[in-house]
Amino acid sequence: MKTGIFGGTFDPVHHGHVELCRQAEREAGLDRIFVVPARLQPFKLDQKTADGKHRMEMLRLAFSEDPRIQVSDYELSREEISYTIHTLRAFHERFPEDEIYFILGTDAFMKIELWRNYGELLKNYHILVGVRPG
């Protein structure tokens, strides 16, 4: 199976998030996608975010029409900083036979060298980068 992981703060979720996720699903032929809101986003530690329960509900509503897209509380249920590499490893352990695809926008990808263990991320996981119009 092809499993997509789409992480972010999603505060709030917006049409761009929904379209990026659906585009990745179509173009990469993903069988399922987990949308994973961050509890503590490493680049936004100094910013206050909406409560995780509210962001989860916004995401559930935004993706309710597509049964292949599920919202996961994996990062929200953990106390530590939400590093993408930890999440990808956890989903790989959960679904060891799956190909894992990480979905992100161009803006995030352009700063990927700042991410924890970005070399491992690029080497071990498929990366789907969404391009915004303009």
Side-chain angles (χ1 to χ4, degrees), residues 28-59:
L30 301 178
D31 297 297
R32 64 180 163 203
I33 297 174
F34 292 94
V35 179
V36 186
R39 181 173 182 276
L40 295 170
Q41 208 275 13
F43 299 112
K44 298 181 181 180
L45 293 175
D46 60 339
Q47 298 176 20
K48 181 152 175 55
T49 59
D51 184 85
K53 290 182 278 187
H54 297 298
R55 292 184 289 131
M56 286 280 292
E57 188 58 28
M58 285 189 286
L59 288 164

Side-chain angles (χ1 to χ4, degrees), residues 39-98:
R39 181 173 182 276
L40 295 170
Q41 208 275 13
F43 299 112
K44 298 181 181 180
L45 293 175
D46 60 339
Q47 298 176 20
K48 181 152 175 55
T49 59
D51 184 85
K53 290 182 278 187
H54 297 298
R55 292 184 289 131
M56 286 280 292
E57 188 58 28
M58 285 189 286
L59 288 164
R60 283 191 185 105
L61 290 169
F63 291 105
S64 64
E65 295 178 18
D66 192 332
R68 290 183 292 183
I69 301 175
Q70 304 170 47
V71 181
S72 169
D73 69 349
Y74 174 77
E75 290 184 0
L76 290 174
S77 67
R78 301 172 60 81
E79 293 295 319
E80 66 261 3
I81 294 172
S82 302
Y83 291 112
T84 298
I85 195 64
H86 297 164
T87 302
L88 293 176
R89 287 175 188 158
F91 276 89
H92 179 71
E93 287 176 21
R94 182 174 171 192
F95 304 108
E97 301 301 317
D98 288 13

Side-chain angles (χ1 to χ4, degrees), residues 96-115:
E97 301 301 317
D98 288 13
E99 293 181 62
I100 304 293
Y101 291 75
F102 181 58
I103 303 164
L104 71 166
T106 306
D107 53 338
F109 183 72
M110 296 303 291
K111 298 177 183 174
I112 203 159
E113 75 278 357
L114 302 175
W115 293 25

Side-chain angles (χ1 to χ4, degrees), residues 106-130:
T106 306
D107 53 338
F109 183 72
M110 296 303 291
K111 298 177 183 174
I112 203 159
E113 75 278 357
L114 302 175
W115 293 25
R116 176 164 293 203
N117 298 90
Y118 76 93
E120 177 186 344
L121 192 154
L122 294 172
K123 179 181 176 188
N124 295 333
Y125 302 97
H126 300 279
I127 309 296
L128 301 175
V129 181

